[in-house]
Amino acid sequence: MLQDNVKECITDFMEADIKVWMLTGDKGATAKNIGKTCGILDDSMRIYSVDETETVRLELTKILH
């Protein structure tokens, strides 16, 4: 269960065009469930696994530059 107002807070961030990333050590299925529950993930989004560390680093680098 999420803390109170987590989904609403994240939704407000995204509506304000604030980029929201979810980093977790959970198993993939658990992470997807949490992400969907709190409004971060939908079925159209790309989910990276731990073996894609370099891909994630490149994506973050693009955003920061």
Side-chain angles (χ1 to χ4, degrees):
M1 175 172 251
L2 298 174
Q3 292 184 13
D4 292 342
N5 301 316
V6 169
K7 185 173 183 175
E8 292 80 3
C9 181
I10 290 171
T11 300
D12 288 347
F13 285 164
M14 294 189 319
E15 287 176 357
D17 204 27
I18 296 171
K19 302 294 182 207
V20 177
W21 286 63
M22 179 179 147
L23 303 175
T24 179
D26 292 312
K27 293 181 180 178
T30 303
K32 287 178 188 178
N33 188 18
I34 293 168
K36 287 182 179 182
T37 301
C38 66
I40 293 175
L41 297 178
D42 65 39
D43 292 329
S44 70
M45 294 179 171
R46 174 73 166 95
I47 299 169
Y48 295 96
S49 65
V50 69
D51 61 334
E52 297 175 283
T53 304
E54 183 62 17
T55 302
V56 173
R57 187 189 68 74
L58 291 171
E59 290 293 324
L60 288 170
T61 300
K62 282 193 279 186
I63 290 170
L64 294 172
H65 290 95

